[in-house]
Amino acid sequence: MSSMYLSVNTHQSQTLSPRLQRAVQLLQMSSLDFAAMVRSKVGENPFLEEEDLEANAGEPAATDAPAQDSEFTREDSFASDRDIWLADGSTGRRLKDSEDSSAMDLTASDTTLAMHLRTQVNVMPLSSRDLYLAQAIIESLDDDGYLRTSLEELAQLLPLTPPPLIEELTIALRLVQSLDPAGVGARDVRECLMLQCSRIEDTFLRRIAKNIIEHHLDKLAARDVGKLSKVLEQPAAHIEAAIACIRRLNPRPGWSVGTSRTDYIVPDVIVRRSQGSWDVQLNPAVIPRVRMNKVYEELFQRHRRKEHAELADHLQDARWTLRNVAQRFSTILDVAQAIVRKQHLFLEFGAMAMKPLLLREIADEIGVHESTVSRVTNNKYMATPLGVFELKYFFSRPMLSASGKACSATAIRELISDIIAAESPAQPLSDGKITDQLAMQGLVVARRTVTKYRQLLQIAPVEKRRRYF
């Protein structure tokens, strides 16, 4: 008969406190997310405040001549500028002081595809019904400029009496398709490209291009010049020239209208050449300008009571926030400086001189855990004379050459890119031949590895790189 009993075992294990877990999360954030978090802390914590940079700026130097002696005084200049600022650029009238206006009222608004098309149809001599149908089709276009809704479905959605006929909508669609940009209003890629074929100036190439788009779009996508040449009974050079004309057409005409928004990368670290060495500095633009509000801190310490527990928590959180800000950027700078010391040849000679580098090497050099280096290199960027790179770009596992020396994967990818760039367009190199050329230079790389690196470089396979000019 088994008996039941209790036993106590002790063992040691490492656990992260909530504050340390929070510090780890903050270290992994991108600069944009981290700055947003700090701004949020400033907004909710009375002990934190943003530094006022303008308050520290010096007073402007005074001139010898007094302002009232000049014919055109500073006050007159301000008044003139104000009159220009308050003027309405579209009508030339001056806005009155009593009118509600702001700087945002004078900024240019973004032009959308629908606005661009409506501007064109509104000046056409159309009846109110035809104009309504054309505008209904315009409003149904997606951002690419395509009409994804069928005319039958659109006819059921329009509240017109009598209901619109398919023939009427077809006429309205043809009207929209005649507008700028060319290709807008198409229902698929084939129709979009056909609408733009008139842009091909050479009539002979235009005829070949129309035939390819209308009947052999699948072969065009596969860039199968050989089959197209055989089916159309045209020399490969003519097919290649027609394909080049097609590739200049825009499969997404809607993208050509409106304000294009570009997402810019703000580097965390800036590397410059200074007196024969590489100088690594934090980018001041990504460092939050936040500090402790000394007035509130002193008042709280002077009148601290038990019922002020919530304020005490805010004060402790403010201190931890400032400590995390300092620790985060100190760690980023340490990691960046260690990377530059290891990869200084890359900064001098380019990607071909990139050395193999592991996270463990940087961790051992600066005295932190390998996981800390991994978090620092995620979503952090370094600006160098060669461009802006993510910190993890500088890390790659070593690959041994025939001589036994280690070579980085980044250098091999750059070498593959150079080999393909120097190949003959009529006789491009297969992945196997690229492997042979690498072997001739003492680099033993498997063919599947070459294929993987070629795909990472977004380079097409050999058949799609072949040219017949």
Side-chain angles (χ1 to χ4, degrees):
M1 182 176 179
S2 60
S3 61
M4 299 178 61
Y5 62 93
L6 296 176
S7 63
V8 178
N9 296 323
T10 61
H11 65 278
Q12 293 182 345
S13 63
Q14 291 183 346
T15 59
L16 296 179
S17 65
R19 285 175 178 170
L20 188 55
Q21 292 178 6
R22 182 60 177 166
V24 170
Q25 293 174 358
L26 296 179
L27 185 62
Q28 195 169 359
M29 284 183 177
S30 65
S31 295
L32 185 63
D33 294 338
F34 184 77
M37 185 279 301
V38 173
R39 286 194 299 268
S40 176
K41 288 286 187 182
V42 172
E44 65 187 23
N45 195 318
F47 293 100
L48 292 176
E49 64 178 0
E50 293 184 3
E51 294 184 10
D52 189 2
L53 299 181
E54 295 181 357
N56 299 329
E59 293 293 331
T63 56
D64 295 333
Q68 58 269 23
D69 291 342
S70 68
E71 296 181 0
F72 190 73
T73 63
R74 181 174 299 180
E75 287 75 15
D76 294 333
S77 176
F78 286 164
S80 177
D81 292 342
R82 182 172 179 272
D83 289 340
I84 296 174
W85 177 256
L86 294 177
D88 187 346
S90 60
T91 61
R93 68 180 180 88
R94 187 182 183 278
L95 297 177
K96 297 180 180 179
D97 294 341
S98 60
E99 295 181 358
D100 294 333
S101 62
S102 66
M104 296 303 297
D105 297 330
L106 304 178
T107 58
S109 60
D110 295 341
T111 301
T112 63
L113 176 63
M115 293 169 57
H116 180 70
L117 297 176
R118 282 199 302 268
T119 302
Q120 299 176 62
V121 299
N122 286 341
V123 298
M124 294 182 175
L126 302 174
S127 65
S128 58
R129 183 180 177 89
D130 292 338
L131 179 60
Y132 181 84
L133 293 177
Q135 290 180 343
I137 291 178
I138 290 174
E139 296 299 332
S140 301
L141 302 179
D142 62 9
D143 294 338
D144 295 337
Y146 285 82
L147 180 64
R148 307 293 185 182
T149 307
S150 65
L151 296 181
E152 291 78 8
E153 182 180 354
L154 190 59
Q156 298 176 0
L157 297 175
L158 297 180
L160 283 179
T161 304
L165 301 175
I166 299 300
E167 291 76 12
E168 290 181 291
L169 286 172
T170 302
I171 294 174
L173 177 60
R174 294 289 178 252
L175 174 64
V176 173
Q177 290 178 346
S178 66
L179 302 177
D180 176 76
V184 72
R187 287 159 288 188
D188 53 37
V189 176
R190 178 180 283 104
E191 186 176 19
C192 179
L193 297 179
M194 288 294 292
L195 290 172
Q196 300 178 64
C197 276
S198 59
R199 292 187 172 187
I200 302 177
E201 298 180 358
D202 192 302
T203 55
F204 176 69
L205 294 180
R206 186 193 311 151
R207 179 174 58 83
I208 298 177
K210 284 185 176 181
N211 198 343
I212 293 175
I213 295 171
E214 189 171 3
H215 303 290
H216 308 286
L217 197 60
D218 55 338
K219 297 181 179 62
L220 172 66
R223 200 178 180 87
D224 197 338
V225 178
K227 289 185 179 179
L228 286 173
S229 176
K230 183 177 180 180
V231 172
L232 300 180
E233 298 179 351
Q234 294 290 341
H238 293 170
I239 299 297
E240 195 66 66
I243 291 178
C245 294
I246 295 173
R247 291 178 67 87
R248 285 192 287 270
L249 304 179
N250 188 359
R252 295 183 178 89
W255 289 15
S256 62
V257 179
T259 305
S260 59
R261 300 186 181 274
T262 305
D263 295 328
Y264 295 94
I265 293 176
V266 180
D268 301 83
V269 180
I270 300 175
V271 180
R272 296 187 179 94
R273 188 77 171 180
S274 176
Q275 298 180 353
S277 61
W278 293 102
D279 183 32
V280 184
Q281 295 180 348
L282 290 172
N283 184 3
V286 302
I287 302 177
R289 302 294 179 180
V290 61
R291 65 185 177 186
M292 182 74 73
N293 190 318
K294 294 298 184 181
V295 176
Y296 287 176
E297 183 183 15
E298 291 176 2
L299 286 174
F300 174 75
Q301 296 290 5
R302 191 181 308 166
H303 305 283
R304 187 165 188 168
R305 297 176 183 174
K306 294 181 179 180
E307 57 268 21
H308 296 159
E310 184 178 355
L311 286 177
D313 292 339
H314 279 307
L315 178 59
Q316 186 63 29
D317 183 67
R319 290 170 176 169
W320 274 99
T321 299
L322 295 177
R323 188 178 304 175
N324 287 333
V325 170
Q327 182 64 36
R328 168 190 168 89
F329 289 102
S330 174
T331 306
I332 292 176
L333 183 60
D334 290 342
V335 171
Q337 289 174 340
I339 290 175
V340 171
R341 287 193 294 269
K342 295 286 187 180
Q343 301 290 8
H344 64 94
L345 293 178
F346 164 80
L347 298 174
E348 297 176 4
F349 303 107
M352 292 288 288
M354 183 78 80
K355 296 173 59 178
L357 184 62
L358 301 177
L359 296 174
R360 184 179 63 255
E361 299 179 48
I362 299 297
D364 293 340
E365 181 168 342
I366 65 176
V368 297
H369 194 270
E370 186 176 342
S371 62
T372 301
V373 178
S374 177
R375 293 184 179 95
V376 169
T377 57
N378 187 38
N379 293 323
K380 313 296 187 307
Y381 294 87
M382 177 189 293
T384 72
L386 300 179
V388 179
F389 303 92
E390 192 173 7
L391 293 185
K392 64 182 180 182
Y393 171 79
F394 297 92
F395 295 87
S396 62
R397 292 189 174 277
M399 302 183 68
L400 295 179
S401 63
S403 61
K405 295 183 178 180
C407 182
S408 71
T410 303
I412 293 178
R413 286 198 297 269
E414 184 71 13
L415 184 56
I416 291 174
S417 179
D418 290 347
I419 291 175
I420 294 177
E423 69 184 4
S424 171
Q427 295 179 341
L429 300 174
S430 65
D431 294 343
K433 291 184 178 179
I434 295 175
T435 302
D436 296 339
Q437 288 203 13
L438 292 175
M440 293 173 60
Q441 301 186 37
L443 298 173
V444 181
V445 183
R447 188 195 60 80
R448 62 178 179 274
T449 304
V450 172
T451 302
K452 181 180 72 173
Y453 288 170
R454 176 181 56 75
Q455 292 172 348
L456 289 175
L457 293 169
Q458 297 183 350
I459 298 177
V462 57
E463 289 301 326
K464 292 187 178 182
R465 301 201 309 271
R466 194 181 305 277
R467 301 292 183 269
Y468 292 89
F469 289 112

